[in-house]
Amino acid sequence: MGLLSDPNRRKALTNLLTRLNAPICMVCYLAAIVWFMGLAFEPFTLRTYMSENAMGSTMVEERFSSGERALSLAKEFDAHKRKAGGMPMEWLVKAMQARGLEVFTQSFSRKLPFPDENKERYMVRGTNVYGILRAPRAPRTEALVITAPCSPGNSNNQAVGLLLALAQYFRNQIFWAKDIIFLVNEHDLIGMQAWLEGYHHTNITGMEYSPLQGRAGSIQAALSLELSSDVITSLDLILEGLNGQLPNLDLANLFYAFCQKLGVLCTIQGKLQRNDWDTAEGYTHAAQTMMLMVLKQACGRSWGDHGLFLRYHIEAASIRGINGFRHYKMDVATIGRLLEGMVRKLNNLLERLHQSYFFYLLPSLSRFVSIGYYMPAFGLLAVILLLRALDLWVNLGAPALEAVDGVTEAEQPSGPGVLTVLTPVVISHLTGVALYLLPVHLQEMAVEHFPVSETEAVVLTAVAIYTAGLALPHNTQRLLSGEGTEQGWKVLKLTALLYLAVLLGCTALINFSLGFILAVTLVPITASMTPHMPKALSALAMVLLSPAFTILYCVFIYQELIEAPVSVSEGWMLFLSVISQGILDHALYGSLVYPLLALFIYPCWLMFWNILFWS
Amino acid sequence: MAAHRCGLSLVCILFFSSLAHPSRCDTLEKANDNTATKRSISEVNTDGSVAGEDMNERQWQSTDVEVNRSDGTKNSETFTPAPAKDQFQEELVIRPLHSGDIYASFQFRTLWDTDFLQEGQKKVSHYRLFPKSLGQVLSKFSVQELHISFTQGFWRTMQWGQPFIPSPPGAELWVWFHHTVSDVDGNWKELTNVLSGIFCASLNFIDMTNTVQPSASFKPLGLGNATDHRFLRYATLPREIVCTENLTPWKKLLPCGSKAGLAVLMKSEKLFHSSFHSQAVHIRPICQDEQCTSKAWELRQTLNVVFDHYTSGQGKKEWSLFKMFSRTLTEACPLASSSKVYVDITDNPEGELFELSPATPLLSQAVVLGDRRTYSVYDLTRAETFGQLRSFNLLLRWKGDSGDMLRPLLHAERYVAGFGLQTGEIHTVIYNNHPYRAFPVLLMDSVPWYLQLYIHTLTVTSKSRDNKPSYIHYQPAKDRHRPHLLEMLIQLPPHSMTEVTVQFERALLKWTEYTPDPNHGFYVGSSVISALVPSMVAMSTNFTQDQPLFSSFVPVKEESSYFVRVYTEPLLVNLPTPDFSMPYNVICLTCTVVAVGYGSFYNLLTRTFQVDEPSPPLAKRLANFIRRIRGVPLLA
């Protein structure tokens, strides 16, 4: 601080910062990228460990053995599902009652804002069935949830079968301290959302549902099970939830510990762990796994039925059985034992899971990167914005400083009017609001005038508004009375830089991946943008690094990483469906990525676009 | 609010007058004379001598009842006034529940013929059957009535029906003090600490922050027409865990301990291998006879257990005393004047549902909780009950599938709605399942201060219409001093669901106020719903000595209704909790911030800046120094 209170040294420091601004920014950017890529390198990561005492040291013995029964129940469920053409409610209620559970049902209905073409649904009507296993001598204050979705077609029958077999086995045990809720939800996430809203008696998304009749106190943890084959080769753990929320790391540790104990192959992001971290392949593998997690987390959707629990402060994860081409297969009884062990350990919990990390990245199941390690990567990017802002600030203040020195210059046009800066800001944000509101509200009109389906109408309207926003600078200029001044764009850029820094900073605190991906693409152009650059070239660069193109790149990278590369046209179709899914996720489950991009990031980017065309 | 209260307290007093007037000899020492033919409770001895010989003979014909009832009671109930007035009775009721579970309820009643609350008789030194530890406590703290219960588990009304004596999960204590007590709070505090020692429980955690004085929900059950709730204290500890350490002192209060009588069945490894466990002690003054010329203290010890046939029977619906308790009965407690085992066979009139062995010729009928029930009775004071093996092991074998249970007329549940750590909403849902009768219920809620209730958001809705409570008594909480108390008299329309909601905000506690496991959450005790429920059959208002203990606890005032108390689930609410592993980090951070940040900012803000002359270079200064010594003019 003495550094700042001494005017000479302060001047020296600012001189240094302004003179070396560009190189420092470059170094920061490179360092951020290198730091981030280094996170996947095994010696730099920590080994996962169980923090929760109640789950770590207690012994649990798994005895579940009714795998055959689970499979026959799965067949029966399948038959009844086909007959009922959906959730076989009566059968399921009877089956659960016969296992000594208190059974309740919940019906729900939801009209989507526009048809979901991926899942082919528009008017959704369904029923959730759940049975509560009451713990002996427990006062109904705590509960655990095990869910299995009732999916159309052949999938997930085994999950329901295993659920029922587990219920039967659990019912005969005396050691339960928490009630256990066995839930079969229809229409995957929509049913889950209806059940959770019903359980907590809230209504966030305009869902219509019948109130729940039976409850079991506050839910401590939830496991979602997806299983579509009689035997499996590996189990995949899915953690990414709504808005990039993650469950407590101890839940992942618990899964990993039991996979180790029972000799089950376990994967994360569908990728097995490799032991050769010191080879290039080993590192690439870990980096790919981590990148997949970053991409999944950034898109802010719930990647399994568990994802919606996280909003209610319920730690939850999905476990998916994978039947691959490996030789070594496991039967349902083993998965049953794994679940039994996990549920028993969760049953031992004295407090909610809170000991371990909530913010982490996983390059593999046994290694994790904590928030303290990955945040510097983002911090280095955010510093660039602040440095550029400082540079502009000093630049703007420089003439005034000279005036004090007595060097009388020609009277500068007194600082740019508020209007000069405010107009582009307001207009950009109005465009953002249009991008947020119009696609869904104008779909009917679009369908009337153009030969497209509702979904296409929504997505194409969004793309159209986004593109139309590019014409904005000319309109803005027309609105302004005078010529744009040199000072004008500087003030605007200063505002925009600080605005972007705050936006990205807040985003990264909640959802690191989203903040980081946006920062990587937005920071270089925003930092370097001036009206004096060659227009055509920099306009091209700006468009190629705009938020929409970021999504497009992410689609391609994601496809590449899951080893299903797509051609350009397929990629474009995927891109359109990603946009429609984003809008749907926002309307159905309250995902915040679409409003964030439409209402804040895109207008912010438009402000820089304005600067480029400053005249 | 005050005017409202005054006006409507009358309604409330009327409503609960039935409870408030037990002084009219509701509980009697002497047997009535048998001219009362409309007695709803009677014991019938169809064939006393050939007990259990023939199953068919056991079948209970309604025509025989009329004949046998009078002489049966005359024969069995030749009551002689005991020379020593202290008396001890024990009984066990077993009710097979529709869910397949078994409900076993023990009741032990000790009568103590003394009245130490009378002036001048404060000191009592003679104890026979009554436990001295409790007697001394009663006299020292001038207790009028004391009810304490320890419960592990939650009574599932929808599966099990109503219990004989309800109790909330955890510990519950309510005490009426004698009206001569001047310092009620002081007495209460000491009493809870003493009881804590006696029952080996955490009752010492009862303090002013969880004690309330309900105005209408808890009326004295014994003698004494007290309505001034200043002498009442009520507290629950929903978190209390009940285990063997509480059972042992409870058993020691029995005259026979666990050495003889029904108490030998109380082996903790079995009692705690169950779905529900509740033990209670109720002390109250009662009348010795119908005219109430002399008074006595009644100590009732009850223990209720529900056994789960799934978990303990491996799916087989079959039980016996030995399977349930891992003991059989060999004798009654020698000090007991009566010792009986009742088995509820109402649902099994023809023996098609289950089979009971050994069979008993003794049948009894009682009106319990608005329903006429039939019981098989095993009298342990008779030698033939034990048969040749000198051991009594009751065995019940299910034959058919039990049908559906009638929905209990009144039940309630409660939950917390909403998410996040700032606000929430408590929902209490009360069901009236009576097809055509509306009846009022009294809802009592005691909510800890750290949930700050927004009482203006209180809504009561029945059948989606606003249901205005006719009486509301609300006492707001004081932070760290007393809890919220909310009492309401609500009329429940027939066949309806009534929802009471109130929003709350979660308070931020001081860091020392958190429990050692703050992330577990904080408990809110059960709501209490007290009601006079319309009865299906005429209740007996005519109390006699020979009726079973389980049906005679709550005094009945009217024939048309019976008293029910329903407890809801306790709530577990998470409060905003700091990360307690953080203090070290916080200390480090604060120290750094204070040392570096604050210091320099303060410095920067308070310093006055002056442009000072740039100091001359070192060489110049040296030269000037030398020049000064030499006396030569200095350099510029």
Side-chain angles (χ1 to χ4, degrees), chain A residues 330-343:
Chain A
M330 276 154 307
D331 59 347
V332 179
T334 316
I335 310 167
R337 271 203 292 282
L338 181 111
L339 281 172
E340 185 202 348
M342 286 183 75
V343 173

Side-chain angles (χ1 to χ4, degrees), chain B residues 54-88:
Chain B
D54 190 352
M55 283 299 289
N56 291 331
E57 236 170 298
R58 230 192 98 249
Q59 294 304 318
W60 193 63
Q61 302 295 317
S62 57
T63 46
D64 292 347
V65 191
E66 297 303 322
V67 183
N68 289 338
R69 179 180 284 163
S70 49
D71 42 85
T73 40
K74 265 177 194 160
N75 292 342
S76 59
E77 299 299 327
T78 47
F79 185 75
T80 48
K85 292 282 190 65
D86 285 12
Q87 202 189 40
F88 176 67

Side-chain angles (χ1 to χ4, degrees), chain A residues 1 5 98 102 134-137 139-142 171-172 200-202 204 213 215 312 350-352 354, chain B residues 152-154 156 159 272 274-275 308 310-311 413 415 417-419 427 431 517 519-520 572 574 600 604 609:
Chain A
M1 277 299 150
S5 54
E102 275 179 41
R134 296 290 183 195
R137 282 169 291 106
R140 296 195 178 176
T141 48
E142 295 173 281
R171 180 66 180 80
N172 289 326
H200 295 95
H201 203 284
T202 55
I204 324 163
Q213 297 296 317
R215 287 185 173 78
Y312 299 90
L350 298 174
E351 300 183 62
R352 271 173 193 281
H354 69 284
Chain B
Q152 186 71 19
F154 182 73
R156 305 170 196 169
Q159 276 89 48
F272 291 101
S274 56
S275 298
D308 183 356
Y310 260 103
T311 47
E413 57 195 44
Y415 60 92
F419 59 91
H427 285 241
Y431 296 86
D517 52 351
N519 284 291
H520 178 67
L572 184 61
N574 277 89
S600 14
L604 206 61
F609 288 96

Side-chain angles (χ1 to χ4, degrees), chain A residues 25 29 92 117 133 254 274 328 420 457 488 516 526 562 596 606:
Chain A
C25 288
Y29 190 78
L92 206 55
E117 291 193 340
L133 163 56
L254 183 67
R274 290 172 68 133
Y328 180 62
T420 339
F516 185 76
T526 53
I562 60 168
L596 176 81
L606 271 185

